[in-house]
Amino acid sequence: MMSILKKLQERVTTTGIYVFFMCMVGLIVLLYTNHWSFLHYSTTEWVTIYSLLGAVLILEHFTFQLPPASNKQSMDSSVYLACIFVHGTEIAILILLFNVIIAAFRHTELSWWKHAVNFSIYALSIFVSSTVFELSGGTQGALNEDHFTSYLLALICYFTVNTITLGIYFYIAYKGSFNELKQAFLAESLLVYLCTLILSLVLTTLIYYNGILGLLLFLGLSMLLSHAFKQMFTMYREIEEKANTDRRTGLYNHSYFENTLEAELNISRSQNTPLSLALIDIDDFKKYNDHFGHLKGDQLLGFLGEFLKKETFGTHITVSRYGGEEFTLLMPDHTAEQAYEKVNAIRKRLNDSRYEGVEIFPHGCLSFSAGIAQSRIDIYDKSQLVDLADKALYYAKKQGKNIVHTHGSLNEVEREVDLGQDIRDLEQQLNLFLYKDINTFKHSKRVFRYAADMSDVLQLGPKDKRRFLLGALIHDIGKLEIPWNILNKKEKLSSEEWRMVQAHVMWGKRIVEANERFIDLVPFVELHHERYDGGGYPFGFKGEQIPRLCRMLTIIDSFDAMTTERPYQPTKTFEEAIEELRTCSGSQFDPELTAIFIQYIQHKQPAFTQSIEAGL
């Protein structure tokens, strides 16, 4: 924080020095060029001055923009240059001074020093241009073709001084890069200044020979050119928008995303600022498409597009359709943790959004899975960041969908613990929950990960660790035998229905016993609903009658059930679940193991907050 404040203070100090310097330059130019001749001007001369001042004000009003950038331009400089060529420096500076005074009254929201700096920059440009014009042999009056070099040098000097002084100001005040300044003040302005050169020479001739009539003709021509430039810019923007917009969703398309990603990566590397990418995939979109047809599927894509635009409105987040049912959120100045908080909040609000036909989804609501990756210093190509986000998305899908996962943030036990074929075989059975009760599938995955960490906390040997991990993974397998309408019922269960739910431990035991290789997992399946005080089921075992690791599984199973997020239903917070464990310690849970688990979970809270909030 101190370094940021120090840099800000240095920037303010540097800007102040530049402002003071430019104001002094402007004052010197004003005093040097002012010979008090205006005290003796005739009525005709004052009419000319007021007419030229009016022309400047009109041209400043008719600003325009040139593609591809959007910096506003005007042709008022042609009036100052023509005034130099016909009437001299003093009148040009006088017109500029009147214009700045009027602007100060019209734009009171701007600080006085901004008007002063604006006057100084243009006064210096006029003075240098006029001096070079005279030194190179130029004479005031009618356009002289023999002195074309003088006119050209005057414009070059005007352009150079104006560009450098404005460029230095923007670099100091806004810390833009030199490449940005080059684009803003050279590439964009060059065409305008070429037009200014030609128009200033045209105006010189019109003013000298035709007076006010010539000035009116010039204004008509300039306003038509300004209108033409404005129309050209509008057409460019319309074409650009169509080229960069996805028709189905109204979001930016894949090409725009790739270009923006590359630009943001460059900014992130050069300015050492965080950048995160979220890759989003609509869960079970193909199922919705097959059930309702492609037209309804397109409408769902459009709905999600509008939803994401609304959720990111007013931020610097760029939302794009990546392809198919995939979307991207490009998040400048977001760390992975900040990106997770934002995307997960969006996911939760989508879960609670009503939409026609959501009952066919396994979660019973609209949902998406998301993978998040943060740019690192070793990421030098945009495809690397996309690949990391895609891997995180794949992991989120693998855990049962409707999850936001940050690359590298979780234990990801399946990759670290090599239980080989045992895990793969059990997961084949567990995958059946994807079609019947996805919440049980996800719950089993989460309990498995908790068990992996607790096996290290309890310092289990290889044999006990294998049993504990596989038992945690398969403990609810008996729920496959519970009818779907009971398993997913939101109302209170009847006595008969509750007995059927309780029977899942016995059904699970039979399923596990069918494979002799996993016979040692039976206690975890059969006893994970026993209570320490003897009030559990199916046997009512008490205390040490329940195997120690089964008592540990009961704690893990209950804690995850309390913190599991489901659409339209309240969820216990992290702290509330811990308090519930303490309250039930000695009754439902083994007090010693409860204390160990609470200590572990509090220590691991930063790493596990994401998974708990996301329902992992």
Side-chain angles (χ1 to χ4, degrees), residues 104-158:
F105 283 101
R106 290 176 58 195
H107 305 288
T108 55
E109 72 278 4
L110 296 178
S111 303
W112 66 268
W113 61 266
K114 291 187 177 181
H115 294 290
V117 169
N118 186 57
F119 169 80
S120 300
I121 288 174
Y122 280 90
L124 182 61
S125 301
I126 290 171
F127 175 73
V128 173
S129 179
S130 176
T131 302
V132 170
F133 177 69
E134 293 177 1
L135 291 177
S136 61
T139 56
Q140 296 171 8
L143 187 65
N144 190 337
E145 60 184 13
D146 295 332
H147 296 156
F148 181 76
T149 303
S150 300
Y151 296 117
L152 183 60
L153 289 174
L155 177 78
I156 292 174
C157 289
Y158 185 92

Side-chain angles (χ1 to χ4, degrees), residues 395 398-399 411-420 423 427 444-446 448-449 452 473:
Y395 184 77
K398 188 179 178 183
Q399 301 313 302
N411 203 5
E412 300 187 17
V413 176
E414 292 91 335
R415 300 179 186 180
E416 296 181 3
V417 180
D418 185 17
L419 299 179
I423 289 179
E427 282 190 331
S444 300
K445 287 279 193 173
R446 291 190 300 268
F448 173 73
R449 282 201 305 279
L473 183 64

Side-chain angles (χ1 to χ4, degrees), residues 2 108 174 176 178 185 196 341 397-398 504 534 604 613:
M2 291 302 295
T108 55
Y174 302 104
F178 282 108
F185 294 106
T196 301
E341 293 296 331
K397 288 285 189 182
K398 188 179 178 183
H504 81 278
K604 286 286 187 179
E613 288 183 351

